[in-house]
Amino acid sequence: MENSEKMKEVALKVASELLRIEAIKLSVENPFTWASGWKSPIYCDNRLSLSFPEIRTYIKSKLAEAVKTHFPDAEAIAGVATAGIPQGALLAEELGLPFLYVRSKPKGHGMENLIEGKAIEGQKVVVIEDLISTGGSSIKASEALKAAKVEVLGMLAIFTYGFPLADENFEKAGIELHTLSDYSTMLEIAKDLGYVGVKDLASLEEWRKDPSVWGK
């Protein structure tokens, strides 16, 4: 099977499983409100996958394959707090690599660490996130690692909303990003499996184009 076909198969599988366990919830009529104030017809909490061993193992194995494919020189795995920590730890164990994680802000006592674990100067690290929205927190974590003189090879995530803003942010930051699945694939499988109708599908497609004004 060609690599692009394998990637598509993984993307469809991950999206369908996240929908099945309700890690991804869709609600056009009664949208969710994000911390930013944006109205959203989707809520994604990939941490739920941790409670399903078969799905957890599948995600771990596909992230491991992605590391070997895109970042074969990886010497360590770094998780982004908080949801990227368990995914990153599972992946590091699978690959037999060191693990560390990046806090959203320095710990308020003791050593006041921002990075937990041993950050080694020049070490080649792959950063793990569970979900990409605008990319802000993920890029901030990568910059913290770079400030510690760690070499960030790139980032892997389970799912991305695929916002153009996120693409711009990662390009500007010079960070290579790969995800197991994405919003477009999720919509495709949600339609095929009957999670959404034609009317709702159109609204879901509109939201991704400009979430800041959707629903207003």
Side-chain angles (χ1 to χ4, degrees):
M1 186 184 292
E2 293 295 327
N3 189 48
S4 59
E5 292 179 351
K6 285 183 179 180
M7 290 173 62
K8 182 66 174 179
E9 182 182 276
V10 171
L12 287 168
K13 169 75 171 176
V14 170
S16 64
E17 292 293 356
L18 293 178
L19 282 164
R20 183 177 68 82
I21 65 173
E22 297 187 327
I24 291 178
K25 294 182 180 180
L26 301 173
S27 179
V28 173
E29 295 300 321
N30 297 293
F32 306 96
T33 301
W34 287 5
S36 62
W38 286 1
K39 294 294 182 181
S40 170
I42 179 174
Y43 182 75
C44 183
D45 181 6
N46 295 327
R47 286 169 291 198
L48 277 175
S49 66
L50 297 166
S51 296
F52 297 82
E54 186 176 340
I55 300 170
R56 183 181 69 211
T57 300
Y58 181 80
I59 288 173
K60 176 183 68 174
S61 68
K62 295 309 171 185
L63 286 173
E65 288 179 14
V67 170
K68 293 171 185 176
T69 298
H70 302 293
F71 309 112
D73 296 330
E75 297 172 335
I77 301 297
V80 178
T82 57
I85 294 175
Q87 303 292 355
L90 287 165
L91 175 60
E93 180 67 18
E94 177 75 5
L95 295 171
L97 293 177
F99 177 70
L100 53 154
Y101 69 87
V102 186
R103 293 176 174 273
S104 58
K105 58 183 179 181
K107 188 166 61 173
H109 59 277
M111 297 294 290
E112 298 187 347
N113 294 335
L114 180 59
I115 299 172
E116 299 289 0
K118 191 167 182 64
I120 301 173
E121 183 175 341
Q123 189 175 46
K124 296 178 172 63
V125 172
V126 175
V127 184
I128 304 300
E129 183 64 281
D130 76 322
L131 173 68
I132 302 295
S133 52
T134 63
S137 60
S138 306
I139 292 170
K140 182 180 177 183
S142 295
E143 295 301 332
L145 289 165
K146 291 178 181 179
K149 298 183 179 179
V150 168
E151 182 180 345
V152 175
L153 297 180
M155 180 170 292
L156 294 176
I158 298 172
F159 189 83
T160 177
Y161 291 124
F163 295 144
L165 176 60
D167 295 337
E168 293 172 14
N169 287 341
F170 278 100
E171 185 175 354
K172 189 182 297 183
I175 298 172
E176 182 179 341
L177 170 68
H178 298 278
T179 64
L180 296 186
S181 194
D182 56 80
Y183 190 77
S184 295
T185 302
M186 185 277 298
L187 288 185
E188 180 183 333
I189 199 74
K191 179 185 175 184
D192 290 345
L193 297 178
Y195 285 94
V196 293
V198 175
K199 181 182 176 182
D200 285 351
L201 186 65
S203 186
L204 286 160
E205 289 172 341
E206 283 300 313
W207 173 78
R208 203 270 300 275
K209 294 176 184 176
D210 194 349
S212 65
V213 301
W214 184 90
K216 293 183 179 179

